[in-house]
Amino acid sequence: MYVKISTMRTALFPGSFDPFTIGHYEVLESALKIFDKVIVAVGYNSAKKGFFAPQTRVEIIKQATAHLPNVEVCSYSGLTIDACRNLGASVIVRGLRTTADFEMESVIAQANTKLAPEISTVFLPACGEYSFVSSTIVRDVLIHKGDVSQFLPKGVQIEKFYTGE
């Protein structure tokens, strides 16, 4: 007996993306080489105050990925595994910059596997050129009126989203 398996492989790339950096974009490009569709999902935690509002983060990511037809962008709250189920994703993509990232992400992946064994996690390393870039660095440069363009995907005009307040 054969079981029909969907040929469409959808992955969820979750994160706070506060803001979406060139490193995030590079991991997304890697994921698109593996999966038919990648949903970039901005996680929303009401207990945390982000630098940019979740909808602003979604808009920044849409700006960065407008030319990529196999990318969707959304926001979600709650468990990432529930977002996967709701959006039809069977894989979670996580980018890694350092071994510390791996240690933290590995624990989260193990918990997710316990809660949702049907959902896998894939780790994709950031390329060395962008491994130092973090949202924290981008925010700090932006706050101090520095040029953040080299840390952002091409075409992203983050200044229009930041009022300096």
Side-chain angles (χ1 to χ4, degrees):
M1 179 166 112
Y2 293 97
V3 176
K4 184 177 179 181
I5 299 174
S6 171
T7 57
M8 178 77 156
R9 296 281 297 172
T10 300
L12 187 80
F13 182 22
S16 59
F17 304 118
D18 194 18
F20 191 72
T21 70
I22 188 81
H24 295 130
Y25 183 84
E26 192 265 335
V27 169
L28 173 61
E29 283 186 318
S30 294
L32 286 168
K33 293 175 185 174
I34 302 168
F35 302 100
D36 299 308
K37 177 173 141 185
V38 178
I39 303 167
V40 182
V42 174
Y44 175 70
N45 181 340
S46 62
K48 291 184 179 179
K49 180 177 177 3
F51 187 76
F52 290 105
Q55 193 53 41
T56 299
R57 294 181 227 168
V58 167
E59 291 306 314
I60 291 168
I61 299 166
K62 284 182 176 180
Q63 190 181 76
T65 62
H67 64 287
L68 299 172
N70 298 353
V71 174
E72 288 182 18
V73 184
C74 67
S75 63
Y76 74 100
S77 60
L79 295 174
T80 301
I81 55 169
D82 290 336
C84 285
R85 289 174 176 144
N86 293 335
L87 297 167
S90 59
V91 177
I92 297 169
V93 170
R94 297 300 295 158
L96 302 176
R97 292 178 299 136
T98 65
T99 55
D101 285 352
F102 173 76
E103 289 178 15
M104 179 188 68
E105 293 294 344
S106 179
V107 170
I108 295 168
Q110 290 171 17
N112 285 339
T113 298
K114 232 9 181 177
L115 293 168
E118 75 280 10
I119 298 171
S120 300
T121 300
V122 172
F123 300 123
L124 297 175
C127 71
E129 184 180 356
Y130 304 126
S131 63
F132 74 95
V133 177
S134 69
S135 294
T136 302
I137 287 173
V138 174
R139 289 191 306 264
D140 194 44
V141 172
L142 187 62
I143 288 168
H144 293 94
K145 299 179 180 23
D147 179 12
V148 295
S149 62
Q150 62 191 314
F151 305 124
L152 300 172
K154 284 183 175 42
V156 171
Q157 313 253 318
I158 203 166
E159 294 81 6
K160 77 177 196 175
F161 299 104
Y162 178 65
T163 60
E165 298 170 3

Short mmCIF file of all heavy atoms in Angstrom, two decimals, residues 36-72:
data_model
loop_
_atom_site.label_atom_id
_atom_site.label_comp_id
_atom_site.label_asym_id
_atom_site.label_seq_id
_atom_site.Cartn_x
_atom_site.Cartn_y
_atom_site.Cartn_z
N ASP A 36 9.66 24.18 -1.12
CA ASP A 36 8.88 24.78 -2.19
C ASP A 36 8.32 26.14 -1.78
O ASP A 36 8.18 27.03 -2.61
CB ASP A 36 7.70 23.87 -2.58
CG ASP A 36 8.18 22.53 -3.07
OD1 ASP A 36 9.03 22.50 -3.97
OD2 ASP A 36 7.71 21.50 -2.55
N LYS A 37 8.01 26.26 -0.51
CA LYS A 37 7.42 27.49 0.00
C LYS A 37 7.94 27.71 1.42
O LYS A 37 8.03 26.76 2.21
CB LYS A 37 5.90 27.37 0.01
CG LYS A 37 5.16 28.55 0.60
CD LYS A 37 3.67 28.34 0.38
CE LYS A 37 2.85 28.79 1.52
NZ LYS A 37 1.43 28.49 1.37
N VAL A 38 8.27 28.95 1.73
CA VAL A 38 8.71 29.29 3.08
C VAL A 38 7.83 30.43 3.58
O VAL A 38 7.66 31.45 2.90
CB VAL A 38 10.19 29.70 3.13
CG1 VAL A 38 10.59 30.11 4.55
CG2 VAL A 38 11.09 28.58 2.62
N ILE A 39 7.27 30.22 4.75
CA ILE A 39 6.46 31.25 5.40
C ILE A 39 7.32 31.90 6.48
O ILE A 39 7.74 31.22 7.43
CB ILE A 39 5.18 30.65 6.03
CG1 ILE A 39 4.35 29.92 4.98
CG2 ILE A 39 4.37 31.74 6.73
CD1 ILE A 39 3.26 29.03 5.56
N VAL A 40 7.61 33.17 6.32
CA VAL A 40 8.35 33.92 7.34
C VAL A 40 7.30 34.43 8.31
O VAL A 40 6.40 35.18 7.95
CB VAL A 40 9.14 35.09 6.72
CG1 VAL A 40 9.94 35.81 7.80
CG2 VAL A 40 10.06 34.60 5.61
N ALA A 41 7.42 33.99 9.56
CA ALA A 41 6.39 34.28 10.56
C ALA A 41 6.97 35.08 11.72
O ALA A 41 7.85 34.60 12.43
CB ALA A 41 5.77 32.98 11.06
N VAL A 42 6.45 36.27 11.88
CA VAL A 42 6.87 37.14 12.98
C VAL A 42 6.12 36.72 14.23
O VAL A 42 4.90 36.82 14.30
CB VAL A 42 6.57 38.63 12.65
CG1 VAL A 42 6.89 39.51 13.85
CG2 VAL A 42 7.35 39.06 11.42
N GLY A 43 6.87 36.23 15.20
CA GLY A 43 6.27 35.82 16.47
C GLY A 43 5.91 37.03 17.30
O GLY A 43 6.66 38.01 17.37
N TYR A 44 4.76 36.97 17.91
CA TYR A 44 4.27 38.08 18.73
C TYR A 44 4.10 37.59 20.17
O TYR A 44 3.40 36.61 20.41
CB TYR A 44 2.95 38.62 18.19
CG TYR A 44 2.33 39.68 19.06
CD1 TYR A 44 2.92 40.93 19.17
CD2 TYR A 44 1.19 39.42 19.80
CE1 TYR A 44 2.37 41.92 19.98
CE2 TYR A 44 0.63 40.40 20.61
CZ TYR A 44 1.22 41.63 20.70
OH TYR A 44 0.68 42.59 21.51
N ASN A 45 4.76 38.24 21.07
CA ASN A 45 4.66 37.92 22.48
C ASN A 45 4.20 39.18 23.20
O ASN A 45 4.94 40.16 23.30
CB ASN A 45 6.03 37.46 23.00
CG ASN A 45 6.00 37.07 24.46
OD1 ASN A 45 5.11 37.45 25.21
ND2 ASN A 45 7.00 36.31 24.88
N SER A 46 2.98 39.17 23.70
CA SER A 46 2.42 40.37 24.35
C SER A 46 3.18 40.76 25.61
O SER A 46 3.07 41.90 26.06
CB SER A 46 0.94 40.15 24.65
OG SER A 46 0.79 39.07 25.55
N ALA A 47 3.95 39.84 26.17
CA ALA A 47 4.71 40.15 27.38
C ALA A 47 5.98 40.94 27.07
O ALA A 47 6.61 41.48 27.96
CB ALA A 47 5.06 38.86 28.13
N LYS A 48 6.38 40.98 25.79
CA LYS A 48 7.59 41.69 25.40
C LYS A 48 7.24 42.90 24.55
O LYS A 48 6.38 42.85 23.69
CB LYS A 48 8.50 40.77 24.57
CG LYS A 48 9.12 39.64 25.34
CD LYS A 48 10.06 38.87 24.45
CE LYS A 48 10.72 37.74 25.19
NZ LYS A 48 11.62 36.98 24.29
N LYS A 49 7.96 43.99 24.80
CA LYS A 49 7.79 45.17 23.95
C LYS A 49 8.92 45.15 22.94
O LYS A 49 10.08 45.28 23.29
CB LYS A 49 7.84 46.44 24.79
CG LYS A 49 7.67 47.69 23.94
CD LYS A 49 7.65 48.93 24.77
CE LYS A 49 7.56 50.22 24.01
NZ LYS A 49 7.44 50.22 22.60
N GLY A 50 8.59 45.01 21.69
CA GLY A 50 9.60 45.01 20.64
C GLY A 50 9.98 46.42 20.24
O GLY A 50 9.32 47.39 20.60
N PHE A 51 11.05 46.52 19.49
CA PHE A 51 11.50 47.81 18.96
C PHE A 51 10.52 48.30 17.90
O PHE A 51 10.05 49.43 17.94
CB PHE A 51 12.90 47.64 18.38
CG PHE A 51 13.55 48.92 17.97
CD1 PHE A 51 14.07 49.80 18.92
CD2 PHE A 51 13.68 49.25 16.64
CE1 PHE A 51 14.69 50.98 18.54
CE2 PHE A 51 14.28 50.43 16.24
CZ PHE A 51 14.79 51.30 17.19
N PHE A 52 10.21 47.40 16.94
CA PHE A 52 9.21 47.69 15.92
C PHE A 52 7.95 46.90 16.25
O PHE A 52 8.04 45.77 16.74
CB PHE A 52 9.70 47.27 14.53
CG PHE A 52 10.79 48.13 13.97
CD1 PHE A 52 12.10 47.67 13.92
CD2 PHE A 52 10.53 49.40 13.48
CE1 PHE A 52 13.11 48.45 13.41
CE2 PHE A 52 11.54 50.19 12.96
CZ PHE A 52 12.84 49.71 12.93
N ALA A 53 6.80 47.46 15.96
CA ALA A 53 5.54 46.74 16.15
C ALA A 53 5.52 45.52 15.23
O ALA A 53 6.13 45.55 14.16
CB ALA A 53 4.36 47.66 15.83
N PRO A 54 4.84 44.44 15.63
CA PRO A 54 4.80 43.23 14.78
C PRO A 54 4.36 43.51 13.35
O PRO A 54 4.95 42.98 12.40
CB PRO A 54 3.80 42.33 15.51
CG PRO A 54 3.90 42.74 16.93
CD PRO A 54 4.14 44.23 16.90
N GLN A 55 3.36 44.36 13.14
CA GLN A 55 2.90 44.64 11.77
C GLN A 55 3.96 45.39 10.97
O GLN A 55 4.09 45.18 9.77
CB GLN A 55 1.57 45.41 11.78
CG GLN A 55 0.90 45.45 10.42
CD GLN A 55 0.72 44.07 9.78
OE1 GLN A 55 0.36 43.09 10.42
NE2 GLN A 55 1.00 43.98 8.49
N THR A 56 4.73 46.23 11.63
CA THR A 56 5.83 46.93 10.96
C THR A 56 6.89 45.92 10.53
O THR A 56 7.42 46.00 9.42
CB THR A 56 6.45 47.99 11.89
OG1 THR A 56 5.44 48.94 12.22
CG2 THR A 56 7.63 48.69 11.24
N ARG A 57 7.19 44.96 11.39
CA ARG A 57 8.16 43.91 11.04
C ARG A 57 7.68 43.12 9.83
O ARG A 57 8.47 42.80 8.93
CB ARG A 57 8.38 42.97 12.22
CG ARG A 57 9.04 43.65 13.39
CD ARG A 57 9.25 42.67 14.51
NE ARG A 57 8.81 43.29 15.75
CZ ARG A 57 8.64 42.65 16.88
NH1 ARG A 57 8.83 41.35 16.95
NH2 ARG A 57 8.26 43.29 17.95
N VAL A 58 6.39 42.81 9.80
CA VAL A 58 5.81 42.10 8.65
C VAL A 58 6.02 42.94 7.39
O VAL A 58 6.42 42.42 6.34
CB VAL A 58 4.32 41.79 8.88
CG1 VAL A 58 3.63 41.36 7.59
CG2 VAL A 58 4.16 40.71 9.96
N GLU A 59 5.76 44.24 7.47
CA GLU A 59 5.91 45.12 6.30
C GLU A 59 7.37 45.19 5.84
O GLU A 59 7.63 45.21 4.63
CB GLU A 59 5.38 46.53 6.61
CG GLU A 59 3.87 46.58 6.75
CD GLU A 59 3.14 46.00 5.54
OE1 GLU A 59 3.50 46.32 4.39
OE2 GLU A 59 2.20 45.20 5.75
N ILE A 60 8.31 45.24 6.77
CA ILE A 60 9.73 45.26 6.42
C ILE A 60 10.11 43.97 5.68
O ILE A 60 10.80 44.01 4.66
CB ILE A 60 10.61 45.46 7.68
CG1 ILE A 60 10.42 46.88 8.23
CG2 ILE A 60 12.09 45.18 7.37
CD1 ILE A 60 11.01 47.10 9.62
N ILE A 61 9.64 42.84 6.18
CA ILE A 61 9.95 41.55 5.54
C ILE A 61 9.29 41.46 4.17
O ILE A 61 9.90 40.98 3.21
CB ILE A 61 9.54 40.38 6.45
CG1 ILE A 61 10.32 40.44 7.76
CG2 ILE A 61 9.79 39.04 5.74
CD1 ILE A 61 9.78 39.54 8.86
N LYS A 62 8.08 41.96 4.05
CA LYS A 62 7.41 41.96 2.74
C LYS A 62 8.21 42.82 1.76
O LYS A 62 8.34 42.47 0.58
CB LYS A 62 5.98 42.47 2.86
CG LYS A 62 5.03 41.44 3.45
CD LYS A 62 3.61 41.97 3.50
CE LYS A 62 2.65 40.91 4.01
NZ LYS A 62 1.26 41.38 4.08
N GLN A 63 8.73 43.93 2.21
CA GLN A 63 9.55 44.80 1.37
C GLN A 63 10.80 44.04 0.89
O GLN A 63 11.17 44.11 -0.28
CB GLN A 63 9.95 46.04 2.19
CG GLN A 63 10.60 47.15 1.42
CD GLN A 63 10.97 48.29 2.35
OE1 GLN A 63 11.95 48.19 3.09
NE2 GLN A 63 10.19 49.37 2.32
N ALA A 64 11.42 43.28 1.81
CA ALA A 64 12.65 42.55 1.48
C ALA A 64 12.41 41.35 0.58
O ALA A 64 13.31 40.93 -0.15
CB ALA A 64 13.32 42.09 2.78
N THR A 65 11.20 40.80 0.60
CA THR A 65 10.94 39.54 -0.11
C THR A 65 9.92 39.67 -1.24
O THR A 65 9.50 38.66 -1.79
CB THR A 65 10.45 38.46 0.88
OG1 THR A 65 9.22 38.88 1.48
CG2 THR A 65 11.49 38.18 1.96
N ALA A 66 9.57 40.87 -1.59
CA ALA A 66 8.53 41.09 -2.60
C ALA A 66 8.82 40.39 -3.92
O ALA A 66 7.91 39.97 -4.63
CB ALA A 66 8.33 42.59 -2.83
N HIS A 67 10.08 40.22 -4.24
CA HIS A 67 10.48 39.59 -5.50
C HIS A 67 10.57 38.06 -5.42
O HIS A 67 10.88 37.41 -6.41
CB HIS A 67 11.83 40.16 -5.95
CG HIS A 67 12.93 39.83 -4.99
ND1 HIS A 67 13.04 40.43 -3.75
CD2 HIS A 67 13.94 38.94 -5.07
CE1 HIS A 67 14.09 39.95 -3.12
NE2 HIS A 67 14.66 39.03 -3.90
N LEU A 68 10.29 37.50 -4.27
CA LEU A 68 10.39 36.05 -4.07
C LEU A 68 8.99 35.44 -4.06
O LEU A 68 8.27 35.55 -3.07
CB LEU A 68 11.11 35.74 -2.75
CG LEU A 68 12.55 36.26 -2.63
CD1 LEU A 68 13.07 36.06 -1.21
CD2 LEU A 68 13.45 35.56 -3.64
N PRO A 69 8.59 34.78 -5.14
CA PRO A 69 7.21 34.29 -5.24
C PRO A 69 6.86 33.16 -4.27
O PRO A 69 5.69 32.96 -3.98
CB PRO A 69 7.11 33.81 -6.70
CG PRO A 69 8.52 33.51 -7.10
CD PRO A 69 9.39 34.47 -6.33
N ASN A 70 7.83 32.45 -3.77
CA ASN A 70 7.56 31.30 -2.91
C ASN A 70 7.65 31.65 -1.42
O ASN A 70 7.80 30.77 -0.58
CB ASN A 70 8.52 30.15 -3.22
CG ASN A 70 8.37 29.66 -4.64
OD1 ASN A 70 7.47 30.08 -5.36
ND2 ASN A 70 9.24 28.77 -5.04
N VAL A 71 7.54 32.92 -1.11
CA VAL A 71 7.62 33.38 0.27
C VAL A 71 6.31 34.06 0.66
O VAL A 71 5.79 34.88 -0.08
CB VAL A 71 8.79 34.37 0.46
CG1 VAL A 71 8.78 34.97 1.86
CG2 VAL A 71 10.12 33.69 0.20
N GLU A 72 5.81 33.67 1.82
CA GLU A 72 4.68 34.36 2.43
C GLU A 72 5.17 34.95 3.74
O GLU A 72 6.10 34.42 4.36
CB GLU A 72 3.53 33.39 2.71
CG GLU A 72 2.81 32.92 1.48
CD GLU A 72 1.64 32.01 1.81
OE1 GLU A 72 1.17 32.00 2.97
OE2 GLU A 72 1.21 31.28 0.91
#
